[in-house]
């Protein structure tokens, strides 16, 4: 009897799951996230910031990423377990090669055992500090334990007046000077 209940529960749970598919064109945009410094940044589908991702526990999240940058890119779903799928983890040259300019890669994230608030961010060349990041909210299939009036999503970011590549070139030039002395 218990075995049939477990089989029934698994079938019901899996039938409620959805496949959420997103198409992301990662490219350069311009903006002044600090309200002062207008500069080049990295957005998705021409937007910065780009919308949070909402799925429900048990859903399969599919993100088709096209790289419109002039450098490689990759994304990482921070906090998600990639048991058996570490090739979707995102660290460039660790678990996957970066997505070359003009090319595409499809990420598939299973959310069976997790729910809560996470974030998706660029994992190549510090692209997250140039704008390539967004919240990932996995809603629980169960009712919350406590009642609450409102749910708010707040994100914080470091915003620099120059993009990472410019800051890195400056740091590299300092290292060159140090080796001369």
């Amino acid at each position: 009897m218990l075995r049939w209940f477990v089989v029934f529960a698994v079938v019901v749970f899996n039938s409620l799951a959805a496949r959420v598919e997103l198409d992301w064109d990662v490219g350069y945009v311009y903006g002044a996230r600090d309200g002062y410094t207008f500069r080049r940044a990295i957005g998705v589908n021409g937007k910065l910031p780009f919308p949070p991702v909402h799925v429900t526990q048990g859903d399969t999240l599919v993100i088709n990423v096209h790289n419109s940058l002039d450098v490689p890119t990759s994304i990482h779903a921070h906090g998600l377990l990639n048991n058996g799928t570490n090739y979707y983890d995102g660290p460039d040259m660790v678990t996957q090669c970066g997505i070359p300019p003009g090319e595409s890669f499809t990420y598939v994230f299973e959310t069976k055992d997790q729910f809560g608030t996470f974030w998706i961010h660029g994992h190549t060349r510090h692209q997250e500090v140039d704008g390539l990041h967004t919240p990932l909210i996995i809603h629980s299939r169960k009712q919350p334990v406590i009642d609450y009036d409102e749910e708010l999503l707040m994100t914080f970011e470091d915003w620099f007046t120059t993009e990472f590549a410019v800051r890195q070139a400056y740091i590299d030039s300092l290292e060159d000077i140090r080796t001369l002395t």
Side-chain angles (χ1 to χ4, degrees):
M1 178 73 164
L2 179 61
R3 187 177 100 184
W4 290 110
F5 176 76
V6 170
V7 169
F8 177 75
V10 167
V11 168
V12 168
F13 182 81
N14 287 334
S15 69
L16 296 174
R19 181 178 174 94
V20 178
E21 193 158 344
L22 304 173
D23 293 319
W24 283 7
D25 183 8
V26 176
Y28 294 113
V29 296
Y30 288 84
R33 300 276 291 155
D34 61 359
Y36 299 103
T37 309
F38 190 76
R39 71 170 183 88
R40 187 171 81 159
I42 299 173
V44 169
N45 300 334
K47 296 183 178 169
L48 179 72
F50 51 101
V53 175
H54 290 268
V55 296
T56 302
Q57 181 183 13
D59 289 352
T60 299
L61 173 61
V62 178
I63 304 177
N64 302 306
V65 177
H66 178 76
N67 182 6
S68 290
L69 303 171
D70 57 2
V71 295
T73 192
S74 63
I75 63 168
H76 171 71
H78 199 86
L80 283 191
L81 301 174
N82 288 302
N83 296 335
T85 59
N86 66 331
Y87 42 85
Y88 293 132
D89 194 33
D92 188 16
M93 303 314 292
V94 177
T95 59
Q96 75 169 87
C97 294
I99 306 166
E103 298 297 323
S104 299
F105 185 79
T106 298
Y107 292 86
V108 180
F109 302 107
E110 300 294 339
T111 65
K112 291 178 183 167
D113 301 323
Q114 291 185 269
F115 60 90
T117 303
F118 306 90
W119 67 304
I120 298 174
H121 61 90
H123 219 293
T124 303
R125 299 176 186 234
H126 295 279
Q127 292 170 349
E128 76 282 359
V129 298
D130 285 335
L132 185 53
H133 61 269
T134 194
L136 166 61
I137 297 92
I138 303 174
H139 300 277
S140 174
R141 290 210 178 271
K142 298 178 182 176
Q143 291 294 332
V145 177
I146 58 170
D147 286 332
Y148 53 90
D149 295 329
E150 183 178 17
E151 187 170 305
L152 299 173
L153 177 63
M154 296 174 51
T155 60
F156 296 91
E157 67 182 335
D158 290 325
W159 187 252
F160 298 90
T161 57
T162 57
E163 59 188 284
F164 174 76
V166 173
R167 295 191 315 277
Q168 184 65 51
Y170 175 72
I171 291 168
D172 291 345
S173 73
L174 293 177
E175 290 175 3
D176 291 342
I177 291 170
R178 280 188 227 130
T179 59
L180 295 174
T181 56

